[in-house]
Amino acid sequence: MPRLIIGNVTSEYMFGCALESFGAKGAAKQHAISTRTAWLLRDGDALLTHRPLTEEFRDYLAATLGLDLSTVTFLSAGAGGGTGTEKGTGTERAAGAEEGAFLDHGTLLSPGLLGRLRDLTGPDWQLLPYLYDRTIAELARRLDLSPDAHPAFFDQGGADVFNSKSFFRIWAEGLGVPVAPGRVCRNRAATARAVLDLLPHTGAVIVKEDFSASGYGNVLFTHDPDIPALGASTTHPVTSASTVEDIERLLAGTFPAVAATRDFPAGLRPSETVVEAYYPHSRTLYSEVDVPAPPAAPTVLNHGDMRMEPVWNGFAIPPLDLPAPAESTMLHWSREMARYLQTTGYRGYVNCDSILTGDGRLLFNEVNARVGGCTHVDAAARHLLGDGYMAHHTVLTRNDLPCTDFGKLAWAMGQDPQLSPGVGSTGALLLVDDAPWTGTVQYLVHGDTPAAAARTEERLRSLAENL
């Protein structure tokens, strides 16, 4: 059954800010994230991304996955809502498509794109979006696609709320999931009071936007300005003498909390603010679970370390030397939370973020009901190393390898037996081509031991540096 894969990574239900606020660099990053979904492709599928895949990356992907490009349709959003379409090696692009556009409500439901998708798809097609939000549900209705699971759940915003950090605290506390001390607030004064109340736990507090990914917009308040601010965009040093008014002033300049509960300025989405005790020097972990239709049980697909530098910049899969009790707790609660989502009607990928504190406690800090930053990594690793790859390999990834020529780097990797994928006990893959826009690529390396994977990573980075 063919699938329409949609890289809608900037859905309105992923970020609580205006898309214009990303700026050129931030927009380029989101466009690159959209192209990661290409690793989910199979023959006969179609892929819709913010911008076109580069020709070099498309050919590399086909060679790696064994794709028949003549059966795959590539679509991209263009400037002003136009679209471009590519089938095989042929090209049909609207002017400006190379720069990309966000796949939000206005773009996905524009007449031009709807017409192209209607001509392409039929009742036998499945839909695989990055986030199955209300816009995607409406798109499915307009295209007369046969939903594969609980269309009413998605149409009412079910997946949207399971990407809410505040709603996570509500249902996680109810289930008994181990979480950090915290509070959900609506206005700036309540947020400031919560910061002061929670500071005694660890000497640091993180304030999170309800609907923001990758730590975007989060603020850290701390008694120690030298601690690493993992998952935060801004750090505010405070003292024991700081008052609620002091915290409010700092929030006013750096965090979009409303001044009063009923005061919603134009353009600011009314949403909650999550305030949590922050654990310095903790280890950041993740797990990804597949939630099928019952009676099948949720299955943990992969889990590992999140490489925070200071925000997420890659993975180590499986986690390196994680104590067995912590790993057991992480996997147990990942399945339990996925079962809860399953009972509500959710189907699809669930990504669970957690930390291991310095005193050995495993605490969850959010769950995202969507395709994650690990989904394409897992798909690529399974293709390359087999479904049981975590039992006999270590996989390392990073998002920012400097590279100005994807094709040249891919060719050089193929000439090195230690980097060429599928040749020996070590290897590497390039997962995203962002070279024309930011001069970087994302990569995956693997080895039969953690040390071998680390050596392979150094070899790849050295090769790229010296090209």
Side-chain angles (χ1 to χ4, degrees):
M1 184 175 289
R3 301 171 304 163
L4 173 59
I5 301 169
I6 301 179
N8 59 326
V9 302
T10 46
S11 160
E12 293 89 333
Y13 305 100
M14 285 276 288
F15 292 94
C17 59
L19 297 180
E20 293 77 14
S21 68
F22 282 103
K25 184 177 180 180
K29 178 181 178 182
Q30 296 304 316
H31 296 336
I33 293 172
S34 180
T35 66
R36 294 174 185 163
T37 49
W39 287 96
L40 304 178
L41 282 168
R42 302 190 301 237
D43 285 349
D45 288 345
L47 174 70
L48 173 60
T49 50
H50 286 195
R51 67 179 182 218
L53 277 61
T54 64
E55 184 176 352
E56 293 83 2
F57 178 59
R58 195 172 62 244
D59 291 343
Y60 180 83
L61 186 77
T64 303
L65 296 179
L67 284 175
D68 180 356
L69 287 180
S70 68
T71 71
V72 178
T73 302
F74 296 92
L75 302 102
S76 59
T83 61
T85 305
E86 304 170 76
K87 186 86 168 186
T89 57
T91 300
E92 179 191 348
R93 294 180 187 168
E98 285 75 7
E99 286 71 36
F102 293 117
L103 290 173
D104 54 9
H105 185 276
T107 300
L108 281 171
L109 300 179
S110 63
L113 182 53
L114 274 173
R116 291 179 185 271
L117 294 177
R118 192 173 287 116
D119 291 341
L120 172 67
T121 62
D124 61 330
W125 280 66
Q126 288 184 328
L127 198 56
L128 177 53
Y130 191 90
L131 171 66
Y132 207 132
D133 61 12
R134 280 166 273 189
T135 297
I136 293 293
E138 184 174 350
L139 178 69
R141 285 201 308 275
R142 294 198 189 187
L143 296 177
D144 295 321
L145 297 182
S146 299
D148 50 349
H150 280 264
F153 171 85
F154 293 106
D155 199 22
Q156 300 304 312
D160 311 341
V161 298
F162 281 120
N163 286 277
S164 160
K165 296 177 180 65
S166 61
F167 187 54
F168 164 73
R169 288 200 62 89
I170 296 169
W171 61 263
E173 291 275 16
L175 288 177
V177 179
V179 297
R183 196 173 299 171
V184 176
C185 304
R186 171 56 64 89
N187 59 52
R188 189 175 295 132
T191 302
R193 170 54 60 190
V195 168
L196 289 185
D197 289 347
L198 292 167
L199 270 170
H201 285 280
T202 65
V205 170
I206 191 167
V207 180
K208 303 177 183 179
E209 293 190 25
D210 200 1
F211 291 94
S212 281
S214 303
Y216 190 88
N218 293 346
V219 175
L220 181 69
F221 292 88
T222 175
H223 290 156
D224 180 3
D226 295 325
I227 64 171
L230 304 184
S233 303
T234 304
T235 298
H236 291 306
V238 293
T239 70
S240 57
S242 297
T243 64
V244 169
E245 291 74 22
D246 295 331
I247 304 298
E248 281 196 70
R249 281 193 292 271
L250 293 170
L251 286 169
T254 56
F255 193 86
V258 294
T261 301
R262 298 185 182 277
D263 174 22
F264 297 129
L268 180 63
R269 179 182 179 180
S271 65
E272 309 286 1
T273 295
V274 174
V275 188
E276 288 180 349
Y278 177 86
Y279 289 82
H281 311 294
S282 59
R283 183 173 176 178
T284 307
L285 302 157
Y286 86 93
S287 53
E288 182 171 51
V289 189
D290 177 47
V291 181
T299 302
V300 177
L301 298 175
N302 56 93
H303 64 290
D305 288 290
M306 298 178 68
R307 306 172 90 178
M308 308 296 285
E309 301 173 357
V311 295
W312 169 70
N313 197 29
F315 296 108
I317 307 170
L320 304 177
D321 298 320
L322 182 65
E327 186 168 32
S328 177
T329 298
M330 177 174 67
L331 298 180
H332 166 75
W333 280 110
S334 296
R335 294 187 189 98
E336 288 299 305
M337 291 188 292
R339 288 189 187 99
Y340 169 69
L341 268 65
Q342 185 186 53
T343 63
T344 70
Y346 182 78
R347 308 288 181 263
Y349 295 102
V350 170
N351 286 268
C352 312
D353 294 350
S354 57
I355 61 171
L356 182 65
T357 66
D359 58 2
R361 285 181 292 162
L362 195 291
L363 303 174
F364 286 88
N365 45 30
E366 66 181 80
V367 163
N368 296 306
R370 61 177 187 250
V371 168
C374 56
T375 308
H376 68 295
V377 174
D378 185 63
R382 287 174 184 269
H383 180 85
L384 181 63
L385 304 172
D387 287 342
Y389 71 94
M390 290 193 298
H392 46 74
H393 277 83
T394 295
V395 170
L396 303 176
T397 78
R398 270 205 172 90
N399 305 334
D400 63 350
L401 180 67
C403 173
T404 57
D405 190 325
F406 180 94
K408 185 177 180 181
L409 177 58
W411 180 88
M413 290 166 57
Q415 306 311 301
D416 186 333
Q418 295 184 50
L419 296 177
S420 183
V423 173
S425 60
T426 65
L429 284 178
L430 301 179
L431 297 177
V432 170
D433 180 11
D434 205 31
W437 294 274
T438 64
T440 64
V441 295
Q442 182 186 141
Y443 66 79
L444 170 160
V445 300
H446 66 85
D448 53 5
T449 66
R455 288 193 298 270
T456 307
E457 182 172 45
E458 287 302 313
R459 192 176 185 89
L460 173 59
R461 296 185 74 89
S462 177
L463 174 67
E465 183 179 342
N466 292 293
L467 277 182

